[in-house]
Amino acid sequence: MSQTVYGALDLGTNNCRLLVAKPSRRGFVVVDAFSRIIRLGEGVQATGQLSESAQKRTIAALRVCADKMRRRGVARSRLIATEACRIATNGASFIDRVENETGLVLEIVGRETEAKLAVSGCASLLDSTCDWALVFDIGGGSSELIWLDLRRIGTDWKRSLQSRASIQDAIAAWTSLPLGVVNLAERHGGRDVTIENYEAMVEDVAIALDGFESQYRFGERVAPERAHFLGTSGTVTTISGIHLGLSRYDRARVDGCWLKSTDVRRVSSSLIGMSYAERIAQPCIGQERADLVLAGCAILEALLRTWPCQRLRVADRGLREGILTTLMAEDGHDRKTPRRRRRRGRGGGRASAGNPANDTSPNGKRSAFEG
């Protein structure tokens, strides 16, 4: 009996990402994937509109996604657009254009939906021995922040898609900042960044955070040693890759790894000291991200100053995985998963939620994912 093939597409301010997957015993198996930097939100802060060139770049990427979904026989999907389309005056007309030119029907989701999907997508990486966790997603045009009170849930919640989808019940508070790597870099400059530019970016984010923290006072309620950060964005994966000294980006080593706050600051400091050309030469950055990476570091620094947690876990997963988890949970997959012992594969390695060799490049090679 053939399994339903699911699709999840995340059209952000900076990236267009697709995952195609089938349900598996403890999550799902990725059968195809796609990711391309399209900078859809380039210039929106100044003009209020999606530019023609950005729309054309994005539609070219979406045509690739449509072809992959068609060839893989996707039967159930959710295709979302986020901040750039939310704020652009021509966002809705662009969605219509996408449908006309690619056949894909995208929905512009609200910030709360985006936050909840991010939580579901990386739930299996949460440290259940902690009382609190801050899940954050630094995007191109906005940053979603979700404080989770892990004391609200039991200890066995990672076993199924249903339980991971229900992690949303632990949300204590959330907010969406209208600041991301694209608009922050456009405001302060992303190529030639001095320590003064950097601190100005941190200050902008700190001011934006002030109202949220004044309302909920997590700084007073959360003991740093009983809490951790969980970051799902290009910023944290880039910092992790640099910290690990990778000669090329390796998702299996980055996804699920732990960083200390001192590790994060060490990498950020080294990047501030680099020229634009030197950042381009970094194998985990490259030309497409070199003018955005320090804006992301500044957002993360503002979070660390507001809530001084000492540990950060890195998630190379997020909205797409949250969409897949939610869709499959709604369809009843993995509802009664029995507990089984893990079996080591040949060579002693094992795939796990903490260090999965489980994503796939656009070549479509199958890989297991414990969502």
Side-chain angles (χ1 to χ4, degrees), residues 13 15 18 47 80 116 157 174 188 192 270 301:
T13 300
N15 290 77
L18 170 74
T47 67
I80 68 171
K116 288 181 175 179
W157 55 270
W174 71 275
H188 293 280
D192 301 313
S270 69
E301 176 61 25

Side-chain angles (χ1 to χ4, degrees), residues 181 235 238-239 242 271 279 285 289-298:
V181 296
T235 293
T238 297
I239 289 173
I242 295 170
L271 291 174
R279 294 199 300 275
I285 300 178
R289 298 181 183 275
D291 61 336
L292 304 176
V293 63
L294 280 168
C297 291

Side-chain angles (χ1 to χ4, degrees), residues 20-310:
V20 178
K22 293 181 179 180
S24 66
R25 184 175 62 84
R26 294 198 66 221
F28 49 82
V29 176
V30 175
V31 297
D32 211 340
F34 175 80
S35 179
R36 180 181 294 176
I37 292 178
I38 40 85
R39 300 206 178 200
L40 176 61
E42 190 172 59
V44 169
Q45 188 175 38
T47 67
Q49 292 194 320
L50 305 173
S51 70
E52 179 63 22
S53 58
Q55 291 184 57
K56 287 182 176 178
R57 287 195 302 269
T58 303
I59 287 173
L62 289 171
R63 284 197 178 103
V64 177
C65 295
D67 182 62
K68 285 179 174 290
M69 292 173 66
R70 185 168 48 252
R71 286 191 291 107
R72 294 291 183 179
V74 170
R76 184 139 147 72
S77 63
R78 189 175 187 186
L79 320 176
I80 68 171
T82 58
E83 186 70 5
C85 291
R86 279 196 292 259
I87 66 173
T89 57
N90 59 344
S93 63
F94 172 66
I95 297 299
D96 292 338
R97 179 179 177 181
V98 168
E99 183 177 2
N100 291 333
E101 297 191 24
T102 71
L104 298 178
V105 180
L106 274 67
E107 60 173 312
I108 302 175
V109 297
R111 294 183 176 97
E112 183 175 6
T113 297
E114 186 177 355
K116 288 181 175 179
L117 288 172
V119 168
S120 295
C122 59
S124 59
L125 293 181
L126 290 164
D127 182 354
S128 55
T129 66
C130 283
D131 294 333
W132 297 89
L134 174 70
V135 179
F136 64 91
D137 182 356
I138 299 173
S142 67
S143 296
E144 277 56 57
L145 314 175
I146 310 101
W147 270 107
L148 300 178
D149 184 350
L150 300 178
R151 299 169 301 180
R152 295 182 182 179
I153 53 178
T155 59
D156 204 28
W157 55 270
K158 292 187 181 183
R159 287 181 55 199
S160 70
L161 290 170
Q162 280 75 25
S163 60
R164 289 195 286 270
S166 67
I167 189 64
Q168 296 173 9
D169 295 338
I171 294 176
W174 71 275
T175 191
S176 178
L177 305 182
L179 293 171
V181 296
V182 174
N183 54 25
L184 199 60
E186 287 179 348
R187 183 183 302 177
H188 293 280
R191 292 197 174 199
D192 301 313
V193 180
T194 64
I195 188 64
E196 290 78 18
N197 294 127
Y198 183 76
E199 286 296 328
M201 288 192 279
V202 174
E203 181 64 17
D204 274 5
V205 181
I207 291 170
L209 280 171
D210 187 59
F212 179 66
E213 172 57 11
S214 296
Q215 179 179 0
Y216 292 101
R217 299 192 177 278
F218 286 110
E220 298 175 4
R221 297 161 58 189
V222 176
E225 68 275 8
R226 299 292 302 165
H228 74 90
F229 281 8
L230 175 56
T232 165
S233 70
T235 293
V236 292
T237 57
T238 297
I239 289 173
S240 175
I242 295 170
H243 169 70
L244 294 170
L246 301 181
S247 58
R248 56 174 295 183
Y249 185 78
D250 182 353
R251 182 186 188 278
R253 292 189 63 188
V254 169
D255 185 55
C257 79
W258 287 95
L259 299 176
K260 299 177 182 177
S261 59
T262 51
D263 299 328
V264 172
R265 286 173 163 142
R266 188 179 303 112
V267 171
S268 297
S269 179
S270 69
L271 291 174
I272 295 170
M274 293 182 190
S275 66
Y276 175 61
E278 288 171 331
R279 294 199 300 275
I280 290 175
Q282 284 287 318
C284 292
I285 300 178
Q287 187 160 8
E288 291 182 318
R289 298 181 183 275
D291 61 336
L292 304 176
V293 63
L294 280 168
C297 291
I299 294 171
L300 180 49
E301 176 61 25
L303 300 183
L304 287 170
R305 291 184 189 181
T306 303
W307 303 299
C309 292
Q310 302 304 307

